[in-house]
Amino acid sequence: MWEVVQVRAGIAYDCDVLVVGGGIVGLSTAYAITRAAPGTRVTVLEKESGPARHQTGRNSGVIHSGIYYRPGSLKARYAVKGAAEMVKFCAEYGITHAVTGKLIVATERAELPRLHALVQRGRENGIPVRELGSAQIGEYEPEVRGLAAIHVGTTGVADFVGVARQLGAASGAELRYGAQVVRVDRRPERGVAVLTSRGDVVRARVLVNCAGLYCDEVARLTGDEPGMRIVPFRGEYYELARPELVRGLVYPVPDPAFPFLGVHLTRGIDGGVHIGPNAVPALAREGYGWGVVRPREIAGTLAWPGAWALARRHWRYGGGELLRSVSKRAFTTAVRRLLPVAEEADLVKAAAGVRAQAVLRDGTLVDDFLIKEGPRAVHVLNAPSPAATASLPIGREVARRALDMLGSV
Ligand SMILES: Cc1cc2nc3c(=O)[nH]c(=O)nc-3n(C[C@H](O)[C@H](O)[C@H](O)COP(=O)(O)OP(=O)(O)OC[C@H]3O[C@@H](n4cnc5c(N)ncnc54)[C@H](O)[C@@H]3O)c2cc1C
């Protein structure tokens, strides 16, 4: 059947660039392509019935300033630039957003050198920060306690689902929903043909893989070995029943060994205060609760040597996160370090998200954004936080590579 369709389809292309994935990164890429090269025909295939149903629609909604990231890294460069562009984009299109600023609070002595290192890092990344002593924390957050803190003024919150939808609309791309890519046939002289779960065949000159939690699988469908696998880490949230206890955004000092920021308190665009996310291994790539188990996906993760190496290296940290996942009391204890007045009864379970975290064969958690190319294909292989913040610069970079490729085929 596949071969028959291939022959019948001839060599007429349905589009120039085919984007797999209608999250914020795929839609930003579509937008950047049509901005940079008007007239380029772009089709986006998304397996869900609408845009942004996975990471983009299940996150903290924070416009990150860029303070955490290694100077010179893609994360640092794109977050700083992306945060400013995100605010402008939201203002231009009337998308809900606010620049609120945030506090990063040290609650233990051992965290003070790391807090100080963040101040330096922020300055190197060109981010204005204000150092606060214990007594000054109350100026921003009367109920928060800590030994010291820093205030970062450029952090904000935004409706990333609204941003994704607007990027898709403004791109002029053909957006096809309910279209899961299940097979890819790539030939140097004929371009790329994909088969969707609906039985459609779409032919393109170049394929762009922005499939998020499935980006490694889509890369392998094209025939490229990405050299990493996605290990899904669920982030669970609670909602604060007394939102008046927190005015803005309050974060702990992160552990530099992990690309996760630690459980934080975030007043979102809806006025509610979200608490989370933790980081626990998910039993399915879209496993938003312990009850969602996909044996094929678990087997795939376990077959990757990097997953075992990761578990061996970080079992202690993982154990703490697991405890906070199954015990609300343990989760509340973590929250009370920042917000001592919080009670267990103040925490109301909310929807979770799952991070698409790339892990290398040796167990290294890929820290920076990772974009790789194969013949007629560009793969976005690691775009976890702050990729929503940084989606406009990421989209431009992916678009640049796709357009360069288009020029050479
Ligand atoms: C818990 C959590 C908190 C976060 N907090 C923040 C934050 O505060 N600020 C920030 O900047 N970032 C944050 N992030 C990161 C941010 O959400 C992601 O970096 C960003 O949404 C990635 O976008 P994406 O388009 O790559 O992925 P996604 O939004 O996951 O989109 C990928 C899309 O591909 C589709 N797809 C997959 N396979 C196929 C296929 N075979 N065929 C067709 N379609 C397919 C999926 O359905 C999906 O819609 C957070 C993430 C999580 C999980």
Coordinates of all heavy atoms in Angstrom, one line a residue, residues 12 35 54 66 68 81 156 166-167 172-173 191 193 197 204 218 233 267 277 286 289 308 312 354:
A12 N 5.3 15.4 -7.4 CA 4.8 16.7 -7.0 C 4.8 16.8 -5.5 O 4.3 15.9 -4.8 CB 3.3 16.8 -7.5
R35 N 7.8 34.0 7.6 CA 8.3 35.4 7.8 C 9.5 35.6 7.0 O 9.7 36.6 6.3 CB 8.6 35.7 9.3 CG 7.4 35.8 10.2 CD 7.0 37.3 10.1 NE 5.5 37.3 10.3 CZ 5.0 38.3 11.1 NH1 5.7 39.2 11.7 NH2 3.6 38.3 11.2
H54 N 0.2 19.2 24.7 CA 1.2 18.5 25.6 C 2.1 19.5 26.4 O 1.5 20.4 27.1 CB 1.9 17.4 24.9 CG 0.9 16.4 24.5 ND1 0.4 15.5 25.4 CD2 0.3 16.1 23.3 CE1 -0.5 14.7 24.8 NE2 -0.6 15.0 23.6
G66 N 16.3 34.0 32.1 CA 17.6 33.5 31.5 C 18.7 33.4 32.6 O 19.8 33.1 32.3
Y68 N 19.4 31.3 34.9 CA 20.0 30.0 35.3 C 21.0 29.5 34.4 O 21.8 28.6 34.8 CB 18.9 29.0 35.4 CG 17.8 29.3 36.4 CD1 16.5 29.6 36.0 CD2 18.0 29.2 37.8 CE1 15.5 29.9 36.9 CE2 17.0 29.5 38.7 CZ 15.7 29.8 38.2 OH 14.8 30.1 39.1
K81 N 16.9 36.7 25.0 CA 16.3 37.3 23.8 C 14.8 37.0 23.7 O 14.0 37.8 23.5 CB 17.0 36.8 22.5 CG 17.1 37.8 21.4 CD 17.6 37.2 20.1 CE 18.9 36.5 20.2 NZ 19.3 35.8 19.0
G156 N 8.3 36.9 34.0 CA 6.9 37.1 33.8 C 6.1 35.9 33.6 O 6.6 34.8 33.8
Q166 N -1.7 31.7 18.1 CA -1.4 32.9 17.3 C -0.3 32.7 16.3 O -0.4 33.1 15.2 CB -1.1 34.1 18.3 CG -0.9 35.4 17.5 CD -2.2 35.8 16.8 OE1 -3.3 35.7 17.3 NE2 -2.0 36.2 15.5
L167 N 0.8 32.0 16.8 CA 1.9 31.7 15.8 C 1.4 30.9 14.7 O 1.7 31.2 13.5 CB 3.0 30.9 16.6 CG 3.9 31.7 17.6 CD1 4.7 30.8 18.5 CD2 4.8 32.7 16.8
G172 N 0.3 31.4 8.5 CA -0.3 31.1 7.2 C -0.1 29.6 6.7 O -0.4 29.3 5.6
A173 N 0.5 28.8 7.6 CA 0.8 27.4 7.3 C -0.5 26.6 7.2 O -1.5 27.0 7.9 CB 1.7 26.8 8.3
G191 N 12.7 13.6 -2.0 CA 12.3 14.3 -0.8 C 11.7 13.4 0.3 O 12.1 12.2 0.4
A193 N 8.3 11.7 2.2 CA 6.9 11.4 2.2 C 6.5 10.9 3.6 O 7.2 9.9 4.0 CB 6.6 10.4 1.1
S197 N -1.7 8.7 10.5 CA -2.6 7.7 11.1 C -3.9 7.7 10.3 O -4.6 6.7 10.4 CB -2.8 8.0 12.6 OG -3.1 9.3 12.7
A204 N 7.0 16.4 1.0 CA 7.7 17.7 1.2 C 9.1 17.6 0.8 O 9.7 16.5 0.7 CB 7.6 18.0 2.7
V218 N 10.3 10.1 16.1 CA 10.1 10.6 14.8 C 11.5 10.7 14.0 O 11.6 10.4 12.8 CB 9.4 12.0 14.8 CG1 9.4 12.7 13.5 CG2 8.0 11.9 15.3
F233 N 9.9 13.0 32.2 CA 9.8 13.3 33.6 C 8.6 14.1 33.9 O 8.4 15.2 33.4 CB 11.0 14.1 34.1 CG 12.3 13.3 34.2 CD1 13.2 13.2 33.2 CD2 12.5 12.6 35.4 CE1 14.4 12.5 33.3 CE2 13.7 11.9 35.6 CZ 14.6 11.8 34.5
R267 N 2.2 32.6 40.6 CA 0.9 33.2 40.4 C 0.7 33.3 38.9 O 1.5 34.0 38.2 CB 0.8 34.5 41.1 CG -0.6 35.1 40.9 CD -0.7 36.4 41.7 NE -0.9 36.2 43.1 CZ -2.1 36.0 43.7 NH1 -3.2 35.9 42.9 NH2 -2.2 35.8 45.0
P277 N 6.6 22.3 39.6 CA 6.5 20.9 39.5 C 7.7 20.2 40.1 O 8.8 20.7 40.2 CB 6.5 20.7 38.0 CG 7.4 21.7 37.5 CD 7.3 22.9 38.4
E286 N 3.2 10.4 27.6 CA 2.2 11.3 28.0 C 1.4 10.8 29.2 O 0.2 10.8 29.3 CB 1.2 11.5 26.7 CG 1.9 12.2 25.6 CD 1.2 12.1 24.3 OE1 0.1 11.5 24.2 OE2 1.7 12.7 23.3
G289 N -0.3 10.8 35.0 CA -0.6 10.3 36.3 C 0.0 8.9 36.4 O 0.4 8.3 35.4
W308 N 19.5 3.7 32.5 CA 20.1 3.0 33.7 C 21.2 3.8 34.3 O 21.3 3.8 35.5 CB 20.6 1.6 33.2 CG 19.5 0.7 32.8 CD1 19.0 0.5 31.5 CD2 18.7 -0.1 33.6 NE1 18.0 -0.4 31.5 CE2 17.7 -0.8 32.8 CE3 18.6 -0.3 35.0 CZ2 16.8 -1.7 33.3 CZ3 17.7 -1.2 35.5 CH2 16.8 -1.9 34.7
R312 N 21.3 5.1 38.2 CA 22.4 4.7 39.1 C 22.9 6.0 39.7 O 23.2 6.1 40.9 CB 23.5 4.0 38.4 CG 23.2 2.5 38.3 CD 24.5 1.7 37.9 NE 25.0 2.1 36.6 CZ 24.6 1.6 35.5 NH1 23.7 0.7 35.4 NH2 25.1 2.1 34.3
V354 N 4.4 16.7 31.4 CA 5.6 15.8 31.3 C 6.6 16.5 30.5 O 6.3 17.0 29.4 CB 5.2 14.4 30.7 CG1 6.4 13.5 30.6 CG2 4.1 13.7 31.5

